[in-house]
């Protein structure tokens, strides 16, 4: 029985070896355009698809495989004599294997200055149609869209038959390939003013299988969002691991939280994270000093935590971090001597996100939250610092240093779980209260963490104080200035308490809930 294959690929990785393997097995190969030329130049016997269609390519190659001579041969059910009779009557042949990957639409729209006409010309029509037809007919037709599957397909063909399980797996992969391709086109064509479209497809690509999820009885994997026409922001999806144990589900969650904190600051900044909350944070021109100050935020909680830095790690900073047990250090990159020192700790995971420096920036994609049966989608809480309104509402004004620290605390508090309270001084986190059911408890915890250092500190609250008790407790604890959104029906009471204790308070008009 003659076996026929159509090969038409944009990505020619492994193409020649695959085609040679098919030829040695007696497979009759048909192809189009650049794929046919590549095979012919490599000495692989190949025929034109026109020999199947008996019709030339037209419209500058826009129509070449869109023909019954191709699709009848793919879609015919081999167990129906009437289908085979119709093929014979029209002098069509069955097709048993289709290897196709698509025009480089994603690569095209990723180029700077690409025009709409260029993008449209790189939307593949014949390729997805062949893939879908072959995947629909997978009991009779093998469909291959990923060059990494070529060796396995050849191996099974050499054994005499491709299993039904393998055929179905390849068909599923083929439909997913076309789905992601269509999602890329839809995303590109979506009008900018359509912030949240009526229907939306999010394409994900598996990056890692994980040992388990949040707990050992849960299975897990790590997927990255496929983004088109724009690069992924530096972060956990772009990291290269330079040492240490395999990453876990919780490692990735914490590393992402840590990186999101430092990526929000333009100045050299170090964050220490425990269970996705910053227990240490500081900005300082000298990275090693920023680390030392961040560590003082909560040395007890820092043990076994995650360290993030928004600058390349130098030896001086590495020498400081090397003294403490951490699970992960994530940074743009590591100097060679710093990396060599830290790699002495065999279990310490070093993650380089692949950029020399990260400036605070807004994120162009959505923030998704999973709920049972669906997703919530929102834009990122990423307003630039120069957009922060600081409306003084008390008699005492803020000093210059207090204003600087208030802006630092306001940027930091949005990375703390609500109800969030954060104390800071000299661009350093002194204590924080996170995830409490009421705000006054968060104030108590933050003051306890800060201890004596709370004297002369500033306080940031992610949302308004519903009662003045939180402001009074902060004032008694030594806080000298407060930044909060305002908007409570008891704002005037909170302002009176602040004036009573001689502290400054500013309203921003914006809150930073993080649930």
């Amino acid at each position: 029985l003659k076996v026929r294959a159509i090969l038409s690929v944009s990505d020619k990785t492994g193409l020649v070896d695959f085609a040679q393997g098919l030829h040695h097995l007696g497979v009759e190969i048909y192809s189009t355009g650049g794929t046919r030329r590549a095979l012919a130049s490599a000495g692989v016997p190949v025929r034109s698809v026109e020999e199947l269609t008996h019709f030339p390519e037209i419209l500058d190659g826009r129509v070449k495989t869109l023909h019954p001579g191709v699709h009848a041969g793919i879609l015919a059910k081999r167990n129906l004599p009437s289908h085979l009779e119709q093929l014979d009557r029209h002098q069509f042949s069955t097709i048993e294997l289709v290897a196709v990957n698509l025009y480089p639409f994603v690569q095209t729209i990723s180029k700077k200055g690409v025009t709409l006409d260029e993008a449209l010309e790189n939307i593949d029509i014949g390729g997805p149609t062949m893939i879908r037809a072959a995947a629909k007919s997978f009991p009779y037709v093998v469909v291959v869209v990923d060059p990494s599957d070529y060796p396995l397909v050849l191996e099974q063909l050499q054994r005499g038959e491709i299993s039904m399980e393998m055929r179905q797996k390849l068909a599923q992969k083929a439909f997913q390939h076309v789905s992601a391709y269509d999602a890329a086109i839809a995303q590109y064509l979506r009008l900018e003013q359509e912030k949240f479209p009526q229907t939306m497809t999010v394409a994900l690509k598996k990056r890692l299988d994980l040992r388990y999820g949040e707990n050992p009885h849960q299975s897990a994997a790590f997927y990255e969002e496929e983004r088109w026409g724009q690069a992924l922001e530096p972060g956990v999806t772009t990291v290269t691991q330079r040492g240490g144990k395999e990453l876990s589900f919780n490692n990735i969650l914490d590393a992402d939280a840590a990186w999101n904190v430092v990526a929000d600051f333009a100045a050299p900044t170090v964050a220490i994270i425990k269970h996705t909350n910053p227990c240490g944070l500081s900005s300082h021109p000298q990275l090693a000093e920023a680390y030392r100050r961040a560590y003082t935020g909560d040395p007890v909680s820092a043990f076994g935590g995650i360290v993030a830095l928004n600058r390349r790690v130098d030896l001086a900073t590495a020498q400081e971090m090397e003294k403490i047990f951490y699970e992960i250090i994530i940074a743009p990159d590591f100097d060679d001597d710093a990396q060599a020192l830290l790699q002495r700790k065999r279990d310490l995971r070093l993650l380089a996100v692949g950029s020399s420096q990260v400036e605070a920036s807004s994120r162009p994609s959505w923030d998704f939250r999973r709920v049972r049966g669906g997703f919530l989608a929102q834009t990122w809480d990423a307003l630039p610092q120069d957009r922060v309104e600081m409306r003084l509402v008390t008699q005492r004004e803020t000093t210059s240093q207090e204003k600087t620290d208030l802006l630092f605390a306001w940027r930091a508090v949005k990375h703390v779980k609500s109800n969030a309270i954060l104390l800071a001084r000299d661009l350093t986190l002194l204590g924080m209260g996170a995830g409490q059911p009421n705000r006054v408890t968060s104030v108590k915890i933050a003051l306890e963490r800060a201890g004596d250092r709370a004297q002369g500190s500033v306080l940031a609250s992610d949302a308004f104080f519903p009662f003045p008790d939180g402001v009074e407790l902060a004032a008694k604890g030594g806080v000298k200035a407060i930044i909060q959104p305002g908007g409570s029906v008891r704002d005037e009471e909170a302002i009176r308490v602040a004036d009573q204790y001689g502290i400054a308070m500013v309203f921003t008009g914006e809150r930073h809930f993080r649930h």
Side-chain angles (χ1 to χ4, degrees), residues 12-33:
K12 295 178 175 54
T13 303
L15 169 68
V16 171
D17 289 342
F18 182 53
Q20 287 174 336
L22 293 175
H23 172 65
H24 291 151
L25 291 169
V27 176
E28 199 171 80
I29 299 173
Y30 295 83
S31 191
T32 62

Side-chain angles (χ1 to χ4, degrees), residues 385-397:
Q385 188 159 305
D386 59 8
R387 289 265 308 275
V388 176
E389 177 190 358
M390 297 182 69
R391 182 168 64 89
L392 184 70
V393 294
T394 52
Q395 295 171 9
R396 186 173 86 77
E397 296 187 5

